Amino acid sequence: MHKIVILTGAGISAESGLETFRAEDGLWAQHRVEDVATPEGFVRDPKLVVDFYNARRAQAATVEPNAAHRALARLEAEHKGEVIVITQNVDDLHERGGSRAVMHMHGSLKGALCAACDHRWPAAMVMAPGDPCPSCAAPAARPDIVWFGEMPYDMDALFDHLASADIFGAIGTSGNVYPAAGFVAEARRAGAHTLEFNLERSSVGSQFAEHRTGPASQTVTTWVDELLSR
Ligand code: BJW
């Protein structure tokens, strides 16, 4: 049975009402990436960073999964082979849409991480700079988010999934951030059929065998319907 590996980015959550990063009015137009998404930025101004993620955590709690999230959950439930969703997103819309096999390579708004001992625990809805770690008591709690220069989570397992993929789909990601932008090359090497779902060609768009252009809520739903009716 075909193994399907899906990579998702901010574009899949856009129709739920969450901003993407690199749109003209996106998150990086409103905040300097060096300030809010690097370990150096956190050391410089922990309150700015904690507040940025508190606001995103609060916003994520007010939105709902859209048809694309639900289509992927249906694919996982009804496809006879394995379906893995690797998401760069830190929201929980895949899980709330019904997907179970979800890997959060860039962390999660729902997690806290100790900058001193690496202990991880569920984040409070509102974190404060200097919150103590429940394991080592250091006042070093930070959002459990993978910032630039940090190693994404579960890399060995992710590359194992890519190496055994028969189909690789990338949904709503601009292909600007590595290592995720390199996954299409990895999946091609493994012989997978590669598809991109986006409003436009991404930075690595030329590497995909197939393109489905349009809003993910429509293109992903149509593709899942096609796959499941074969
Ligand atoms: C729609 C739509 C709709 C809209 N329907 N589509 C070369 C090789 C390896 C590494 C590097 C390298 N060069 C540089 C690096 C380092 C760096 C990097 O990539 N920098 C680039 C700027 C060049 N990478 C790192 O530091 C990473 N760590 C690392 O590399 O460790 C070493 C390592 C090396 C090799 C192997 C393994 C490890 C860590 C990266 C951490 C990224 N963190 C962020 C912020 C934290 C999370 C958060 O706050 O939410 O993650 S940055 C930000 O970008 C966020 C996202 O997850 C990520 C990707 O963005 P995404 O999802 O693609 O969003 P957008 O806005 O860019 O695009 C949205 C897309 O949707 C667009 O295309 C729209 O068209 C589309 N769209 N509506 C369909 N309705």
Side-chain angles (χ1 to χ4, degrees), residues 189-222:
R189 255 194 295 282
H193 176 63
T194 54
L195 307 88
E196 177 169 79
F197 301 84
N198 205 311
L199 299 177
E200 59 189 24
R201 296 267 167 131
S202 75
S203 298
V204 291
S206 63
Q207 298 183 38
F208 287 85
E210 186 181 343
H211 293 268
R212 303 267 177 135
T213 304
S217 61
Q218 293 170 25
T219 55
V220 176
T221 306
T222 302

Side-chain angles (χ1 to χ4, degrees), residues 13 25 35 41 44 46 88 90 93 129 131 134 144 151 153 162 173 208 210 215 220:
S13 296
D25 55 349
D35 290 341
R44 240 182 351 255
Q88 298 168 86
V90 296
L93 292 175
D131 277 346
D144 188 10
M151 186 62 83
Y153 286 126
L162 293 166
T173 178
F208 287 85
E210 186 181 343
V220 176

